């Protein structure tokens, strides 16, 4: 039985590899599109496109010396002022022989649930993002709030779903600057009881997810400027595992 399972995995991986020739990913204006694995279009509604492009990052939490190479396509919207929200669209792909683990909630997150985008279930949770190791910190570097504080602390709600036999992952994240008086999402100050729920409603409505646009697709590709790619790791992308048949250790 185990040999049959391994054979099926190899066949699926070979079939997937044969489909890469027609695959395109990138931008059409402010719309992120993938023509295969999955065929999808995503855009942050009512926020201007800030930067977009692709890169390869090395995921440190793996058995690969120096980190497992992960291809990432990225589009970031908003963050045009200290009070402006930010929305992030990412697609991450593992190399052959690896798969994305089940989507786990972040440490100290709240309100874990399932949200539906284009008839697909996305795991969701709400959390605080702060610190200089945030891959998107430089997009607001030098901007200051009305109180003179740099907006490096965010309240964020993330949505994630795996596609293509867990080879690909779509990650959506919506952020707003976190009010200075809030230090924990599980113990809100007096009078802020509805703050998180209202934020989560805005996050839910921030993204438009659908099928590919009709007509010829002129997809633009490039390198997303202003991203601290060295900090793009398992905290944002999640963790991976290796199929047993490829594990020779």
């Amino acid at each position: 039985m185990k040999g049959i399972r391994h054979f099926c995995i190899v066949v699926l991986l070979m079939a997937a590899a044969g489909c890469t020739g027609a695959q395109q990913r990138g931008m059409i204006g402010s719309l992120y599109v993938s023509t295969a694995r999955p065929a999808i279009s995503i855009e942050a509604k009512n926020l201007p496109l800030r930067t977009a492009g692709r890169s390869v990052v090395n995921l440190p939490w793996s058995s690969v010396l120096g980190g497992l190479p992960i291809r990432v396509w990225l589009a970031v919207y908003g963050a045009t002022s200290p009070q402006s929200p930010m929305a992030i669209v990412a697609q991450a792909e593992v190399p052959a022989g690896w798969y994305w683990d089940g989507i786990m909630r972040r440490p100290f997150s709240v309100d874990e649930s399932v949200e539906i985008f284009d008839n697909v279930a996305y795991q969701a949770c709400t959390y605080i993002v702060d610190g200089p190791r945030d891959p998107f910190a430089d997009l607001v570097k030098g901007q200051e709030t009305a109180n003179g504080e740099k907006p490096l602390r965010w309240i964020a709600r993330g949505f994630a779903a795996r596609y293509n036999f867990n080879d690909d992952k779509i990650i959506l994240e919506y952020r707003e600057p976190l009010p200075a008086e809030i230090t924990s999402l599980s113990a809100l100050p007096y009078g802020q009881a509805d703050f998180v729920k209202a934020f989560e409603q805005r996050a839910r409505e921030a993204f438009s997810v659908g099928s590919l646009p009709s007509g010829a697709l002129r997809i633009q590709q490039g390198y997303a400027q202003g991203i601290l790619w060295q900090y793009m790791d398992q905290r944002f992308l999640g963790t991976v595992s290796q199929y047993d048949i490829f594990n020779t250790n």
Side-chain angles (χ1 to χ4, degrees):
M1 180 64 68
K2 186 175 181 180
I4 295 175
R5 181 169 63 88
H6 285 168
F7 174 78
C8 292
I9 291 173
V10 172
V11 171
L12 290 172
L13 290 172
M14 292 177 64
C19 296
T20 57
Q23 173 185 294
Q24 296 184 65
R25 292 172 181 162
M27 305 299 297
I28 300 178
S30 61
L31 187 71
Y32 172 75
V33 299
S34 170
T35 61
R37 307 169 55 194
I40 197 171
S41 66
I42 311 174
E43 186 175 21
K45 297 182 291 186
N46 304 319
L47 290 176
L49 180 66
R50 179 70 184 275
T51 187
R54 59 168 292 181
S55 187
V56 176
V57 302
N58 293 319
L59 199 63
W61 283 18
S62 66
S63 59
V64 177
L65 184 64
L68 182 72
I70 303 290
R71 293 199 295 174
V72 179
W73 290 261
L74 193 68
V76 183
Y77 303 80
T80 56
S81 72
Q83 289 77 34
S84 171
M86 179 191 296
I88 301 159
V89 174
Q91 181 169 356
E93 179 186 66
V94 294
W98 295 80
Y99 63 91
W100 289 107
D101 293 331
I103 297 166
M104 305 295 291
R105 65 181 297 173
R106 294 201 182 195
F108 309 109
S109 62
V110 298
D111 295 349
E112 182 179 11
S113 66
V114 174
E115 301 284 356
I116 305 300
F117 293 98
D118 194 34
N119 298 318
V120 175
Y122 283 66
Q123 297 293 320
C125 62
T126 302
Y127 43 89
I128 293 176
V129 177
D130 58 10
R133 295 181 67 87
D134 174 16
F136 308 99
D138 266 16
L139 294 177
V140 292
K141 185 177 181 180
Q143 298 181 12
E144 294 187 349
T145 65
N147 297 326
E149 299 174 349
K150 293 182 179 179
L152 293 181
R153 300 185 73 242
W154 304 82
I155 179 173
R157 186 156 179 84
F159 311 90
R162 296 178 295 171
Y163 289 85
N164 189 39
F165 303 103
N166 302 332
D167 282 356
D168 291 85
K169 179 188 281 189
I170 298 289
I171 302 168
L172 311 177
E173 186 178 273
Y174 177 79
R175 303 180 174 189
E176 292 179 1
L178 186 69
E181 66 271 16
I182 295 179
T183 58
S184 171
L185 299 181
S186 58
L188 295 173
Y190 179 77
Q192 295 276 19
D194 296 329
F195 170 77
V196 174
K197 293 300 182 184
F199 164 78
E200 291 172 351
Q201 180 64 27
R202 293 192 294 272
R204 188 178 302 112
E205 297 172 350
F207 297 98
S208 175
V209 182
S211 57
L212 294 177
S214 60
L217 302 181
R218 296 185 178 182
I219 297 176
Q220 302 295 319
Q221 297 182 348
Y223 181 80
Q225 301 293 329
I227 306 299
L228 301 175
W229 290 103
Q230 67 272 30
Y231 299 139
M232 184 74 67
D233 56 22
Q234 68 281 344
R235 288 172 296 181
F236 180 78
L237 297 174
T239 60
V240 297
S241 293
Q242 189 175 23
Y243 288 111
D244 291 340
I245 193 171
F246 289 93
N247 192 347
T248 58
N249 294 331

